[in-house]
Every structure is written in structure tokens, then in C-alpha cells.
């Protein structure tokens, strides 16, 4: 079990896909477990960080895969974007390696299920440019989650809590 964590726009999904091809790994997209709501929130960043991705929904999925069983779950419906989950069950077959990728992937609540906690870093200018290209802009809704991420990496998952720290410039160049 590999947790690939990092700020939004760091390149986690791209790196996870590359690792999956090389390792015959299953990839779990952390965003499938989004649970933070679709409205603007005014609670503190710590509360948003705690609520953003549901580790309670991730845990049984990781436990099943760790036990060599297929995992089934309902993913957040990003297309509807009204708070509901997709109507179709996502099924993930067990593989020799499982990569949970996304912000909050290495959260302490899942530590007992994770064998390797990797942090992907990228300079802020690159990250912001990627976010603008991917999302068409960064508005108040996105900024509220970026504040929560900043709190998470400063307080709950600082770089010293990771087994491996990767630099996006190095991992991109390595191919």
C-alpha cells in the first residue's frame, strides 16, 4: 500500500499512473472519496481538512484490497456536483501494489494500512499554472480547499512524517 500525497496540482495522478503501469498496481483516486460539500465553507482550515476526503469511506476499500479482495465503493459524483455519490459502484480488483493518490492520502487515520508514505512536491508557480490549466481558474471554492491543504501539510502531515519525499522536477525528468 502506497500513499502518494501532495498539494493539488503537484502531479500525483500522473505519477500514480506511471507507477501503476510499472508495478501492476491498482490506483485509488482520493478525490472519489470527497466529502467536503459543494458550498463555500467558512469554518477553519483544520475543519475543512478533516472533512474534505472521507478516510472512513477509504478504510474499508483499503482493507479489502490489503486482504486480497476486490473493493467496491460509490465515488463522489463530480459531474453532478450536488453532493451525491455516483449511482454506479466502482470495483477495484486487488493487485500486488495499491496506490492511494490524492491530497490527504497519507493522513494519520490510515497509517496502519499504508506501507509507504510518499510526498510529491512541486514549486508553487508550477502548481498554480497546472491548476489554472486543469480547472480553468482558481476561485473561492478551490481556494477554501487550498487553505485546508496548507494546514494539513503544516500540521497533520508535515514533510518529516513521510517515508519518501519526491521532487516533481526530478520525477518528471526521470520519465
Amino acid at each position: 500500500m502506497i500513499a502518494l500525497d501532495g498539494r493539488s496540482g503537484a502531479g500525483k495522478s500522473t505519477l500514480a499512473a506511471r507507477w501503476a503501469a510499472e508495478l501492476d498496481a491498482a490506483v485509488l483516486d482520493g478525490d472519489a472519496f470527497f466529502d467536503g460539500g459543494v458550498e463555500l465553507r467558512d469554518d477553519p482550515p483544520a475543519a475543512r481538512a478533516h472533512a474534505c476526503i472521507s478516510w472512513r469511506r477509504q478504510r474499508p476499500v483499503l482493507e479489502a484490497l490489503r486482504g486480497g479482495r476486490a473493493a467496491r465503493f460509490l465515488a463522489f459524483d463530480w459531474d453532478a456536483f450536488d453532493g451525491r455519490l455516483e449511482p454506479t459502484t466502482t470495483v477495484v480488483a486487488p493487485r500486488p501494489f495499491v496506490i492511494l493518490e490524492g491530497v490527504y492520502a497519507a493522513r494519520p487515520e490510515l497509517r496502519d494500512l499504508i506501507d509507504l508514505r510518499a510526498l510529491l512536491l512541486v514549486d508553487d508557480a508550477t502548481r498554480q499554472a497546472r491548476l489554472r490549466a486543469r480547472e480553468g481558474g482558481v476561485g473561492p471554492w478551490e481556494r477554501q480547499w487550498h487553505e485546508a491543504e496548507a494546514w494539513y501539510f503544516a500540521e497533520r502531515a508535515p514533510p518529516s512524517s513521510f517515508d519518501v519525499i519526491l521532487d516533481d522536477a526530478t520525477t518528471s525528468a526521470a520519465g
Side-chain angles (χ1 to χ4, degrees), residues 17-74:
R18 194 167 71 209
W19 284 358
E22 294 172 8
L23 298 172
D24 186 29
V27 176
L28 289 173
D29 177 1
D31 286 347
F33 300 90
F34 179 73
D35 200 29
V38 297
E39 303 297 327
L40 284 176
R41 298 172 59 144
D42 62 1
D43 50 348
R48 282 179 262 148
H50 185 72
C52 186
I53 302 296
S54 176
W55 64 267
R56 287 179 176 89
R57 288 183 38 233
Q58 288 175 327
R59 178 171 277 286
V61 172
L62 294 172
E63 288 172 339
L65 293 169
R66 190 169 184 87
R69 300 179 312 277
R72 292 170 174 74
F73 63 94
L74 295 175

Side-chain angles (χ1 to χ4, degrees), residues 72-155:
R72 292 170 174 74
F73 63 94
L74 295 175
F76 180 79
D77 192 333
W78 286 99
D79 291 329
F81 198 70
D82 61 5
R84 69 181 140 170
L85 301 177
E86 292 181 353
T88 306
T89 300
T90 298
V91 179
V92 180
R95 293 271 204 278
F97 293 93
V98 175
I99 302 167
L100 173 60
E101 70 87 10
V103 182
Y104 310 106
R107 67 184 317 140
E109 294 88 348
L110 299 174
R111 183 180 304 257
D112 62 314
L113 297 173
I114 303 297
D115 298 304
L116 180 71
R117 295 164 42 105
L119 174 62
L120 181 57
L121 299 176
V122 64
D123 67 87
D124 201 50
T126 300
R127 192 174 72 78
Q128 292 294 333
R130 288 176 180 172
L131 290 171
R132 282 190 303 278
R134 179 175 77 194
E135 298 171 11
V138 177
W141 191 85
E142 292 83 7
R143 279 195 296 277
Q144 73 182 344
W145 297 113
H146 297 176
E147 291 170 359
E149 290 175 15
W151 179 89
Y152 168 75
F153 287 110
E155 302 295 330

